[in-house]
Amino acid sequence: MKPFDEPIYVTRPLLPDLKEVYHELEKVWASKWLSNNGPEHQIFEGEIRRRLKVSNVSLFNNGTIALLVAVNSLSLKGEVITTPFTFPATPHALFWNGITPVFCDIADESMTIDPSKIEQMVSPRTTAILGVHIFGTPCHIEKIQEIANRCGLKVIYDAAHAFDTEVDGTGIGNFGDISMFSFHATKLFHTAEGGALTCKDTDLKRCIDLLKNFGIKNEDEVVMSGINGKMNEIQAALGLLNLRYLEVEREKRKRIIDTYIRCLRDTEGISLTEIPKHVKNSYQYFVIRIEQEKFGISRDEVYKRLREYNVYARKYFYPLCSDYPCYKNLPSADPANLPVAKKVVAEVLCLPLYGDLAISSVEKICEIIRSFRK
Ligand code: T4K
């Protein structure tokens, strides 16, 4: 088989017609208001609140700053239990708040933090659980809340991958104390860079809004030590525009995912992540798991050989956060504590997924992968 003429990346951003972008920017220019809770920001915040089906939203310049603020707003300290199978932003948001991340193993099927192993990680210093809805798959939210209630812990969810994920029709941002969404260019829905926090408690939203604006209450009062986490008007305008294209993008992605499933489901050694029936898929990633014994070659080998065909799949989220030099000496980072995460991180491969990816290219990627089987 011939390699693709152009590189096929794991994702490509949704890009609305430039003329429409220009039209949106004209409004921003006319307002002469570029940041600090301007008109586009206010409209966009309302739209996101409706879209995510939540009661409170605060917009941010990116998801990482949003997560930093979430941790800070709950006055967490000591230790927070989290997953090692995630993007660096998750444990770093704890570390930057002076908190020690405590890595808990993940469940094999969902690849999210394993609720049956959380309680044994709780110490007198533990103040919260930080779960990640990895690849848009919801954490075991009920069990996690039970543990949190029993142990007096807060719950934060990193929902960076879970825009549009719903559980039985309830927006994923309604669970736990706070959820963080990322609107980075690589996400299904984006504002180039951007993010949001959602929470049920309106007083908490007020605190979050102060924290993302240096703690400034008014011209005479700075009431807490905040940071600059504000989303600007250009980001908000792009977000409003992208919202209009979201359903079309989701439809296209659904067709691509259906094609991957059709072409790969009967391949021995490859397993597909199944989204439970009661969960609305975020369509953010398409993930396969490769079992070397059954497939004949390893995930790493598949990743390398796909590149020879100009296909840039990604080994998200390798390496585990517990293997980073800044965390590897923590007691919870001991590989013996994380057997499932160790196995999963060696098996997972994210295949290209974005609306403009041709179905014929998806079929060809599957054919290439199947041809590797030994
Ligand atoms: N928590 C979790 C669980 C997360 O996954 C993330 C971010 C965060 C927190 C933090 O949220 P933010 O602060 O980022 O809002 C990318 C993204 O930069 C990152 O947002 C995302 N997770 C992560 C999963 O993916 P990289 O280092 O893999 O990106 P990069 O530059 O290698 O891009 C991947 C591919 O996307 C490229 O090969 C081509 C394509 N691409 C990328 C960009 C930026 C484009 O076609 N156009 C583009 O503009 O991290």
Side-chain angles (χ1 to χ4, degrees):
M1 229 173 313
K2 247 173 61 251
F4 285 96
D5 294 333
E6 299 286 330
I8 307 252
Y9 294 111
V10 70
T11 191
R12 304 255 70 180
L14 170 60
L15 292 174
D17 191 286
L18 207 47
K19 287 196 201 74
E20 286 189 76
V21 178
Y22 184 72
H23 179 67
E24 294 303 317
L25 289 182
E26 275 178 337
K27 287 192 238 166
V28 176
W29 257 237
S31 76
K32 295 191 170 52
W33 199 273
L34 299 186
S35 190
N36 293 13
N37 200 23
E40 298 291 313
H41 182 286
Q42 288 173 28
I43 300 168
F44 185 46
E45 198 167 271
E47 293 289 324
I48 290 293
R49 191 173 61 236
R50 279 184 284 281
R51 179 80 199 194
L52 295 179
K53 300 186 177 173
V54 293
S55 35
N56 293 300
V57 169
S58 299
L59 301 173
F60 278 82
N61 48 5
N62 65 60
T64 305
I65 296 289
L67 199 53
L68 274 175
V69 167
V71 173
N72 195 281
S73 71
L74 295 172
S75 305
L76 303 180
K77 45 189 186 324
E79 296 174 353
V80 170
I81 297 171
T82 192
T83 166
F85 186 59
T86 182
F87 193 65
T90 316
H92 289 354
L94 298 173
F95 188 83
W96 276 59
N97 273 288
I99 291 168
T100 306
V102 173
F103 297 111
C104 176
D105 206 5
I106 58 174
D108 190 58
E109 213 161 288
S110 65
M111 298 183 273
T112 60
I113 192 164
D114 184 345
S116 73
K117 296 186 180 149
I118 292 177
E119 227 159 331
Q120 68 206 48
M121 314 297 295
V122 174
S123 83
R125 298 187 68 225
T126 312
T127 52
I129 300 164
L130 170 52
V132 180
H133 304 306
I134 203 82
F135 306 129
T137 302
C139 290
H140 300 80
I141 39 191
E142 280 176 20
K143 288 186 186 152
I144 289 174
Q145 197 57 56
E146 270 168 38
I147 298 165
N149 293 348
R150 211 170 28 247
C151 302
L153 306 176
K154 298 285 186 193
V155 178
I156 299 181
Y157 285 115
D158 177 335
H161 306 166
F163 190 89
D164 257 356
T165 296
E166 291 176 12
V167 179
D168 283 323
T170 301
I172 194 78
N174 288 287
F175 301 102
D177 294 281
I178 306 182
S179 298
M180 179 281 282
F181 293 83
S182 165
F183 303 156
H184 183 262
T186 54
K187 300 295 185 288
L188 161 81
F189 171 74
H190 75 89
T191 56
E193 289 273 1
L197 294 181
T198 63
C199 63
K200 286 187 286 265
D201 180 348
T202 306
D203 287 340
L204 185 55
K205 166 167 165 72
R206 270 190 220 110
C207 171
I208 287 167
D209 286 343
L210 283 169
L211 281 173
K212 75 171 195 189
N213 187 28
F214 312 98
I216 297 175
K217 188 172 174 196
N218 54 47
E219 286 186 31
D220 301 313
E221 290 172 283
V222 177
V223 292
M224 48 185 83
S225 55
I227 198 170
N228 183 357
K230 289 168 281 126
M231 175 178 277
N232 68 48
E233 288 291 279
I234 298 173
Q235 289 172 295
L238 181 58
L240 281 167
L241 188 53
N242 276 344
L243 270 181
R244 285 187 226 147
Y245 289 93
L246 192 55
E247 281 317 308
V248 176
E249 176 70 12
R250 280 182 60 85
E251 268 309 306
K252 288 181 180 170
R253 287 182 179 221
K254 182 177 183 309
R255 278 201 294 277
I256 291 166
I257 289 176
D258 288 346
T259 307
Y260 273 130
I261 293 173
R262 173 169 56 78
C263 298
L264 290 176
R265 76 176 148 215
D266 295 326
T267 311
E268 216 197 330
I270 290 185
S271 53
L272 313 177
T273 42
E274 295 229 348
I275 301 288
K277 285 238 156 26
H278 65 293
V279 173
K280 180 177 169 191
N281 195 329
S282 71
Y283 296 143
Q284 201 120 180
Y285 292 93
F286 184 77
V287 181
I288 61 171
R289 283 170 66 175
I290 298 162
E291 249 185 281
Q292 185 174 357
E293 293 77 61
K294 291 190 186 151
F295 192 67
I297 64 169
S298 68
R299 185 279 312 272
D300 286 350
E301 193 64 23
V302 172
Y303 164 83
K304 240 192 292 164
R305 288 179 58 182
L306 274 174
R307 291 170 82 96
E308 290 163 15
Y309 286 89
N310 233 348
V311 177
Y312 292 83
R314 290 295 286 264
K315 299 181 279 183
Y316 288 136
F317 285 95
Y318 175 86
L320 292 177
C321 299
S322 47
D323 288 336
Y324 302 166
C326 48
Y327 302 128
K328 72 177 186 347
N329 293 324
L330 293 172
S332 66
D334 183 344
N337 179 45
L338 306 165
V340 180
K342 283 271 163 204
K343 171 177 166 287
V344 167
V345 82
E347 290 180 351
V348 166
L349 194 63
C350 290
L351 299 184
L353 175 61
Y354 50 92
D356 285 343
L357 181 61
I359 295 293
S360 56
S361 301
V362 179
E363 286 167 339
K364 181 168 163 177
I365 293 168
C366 295
E367 209 181 322
I368 295 169
I369 293 174
R370 285 200 312 263
S371 75
F372 295 157
R373 194 168 175 273
K374 281 202 183 131

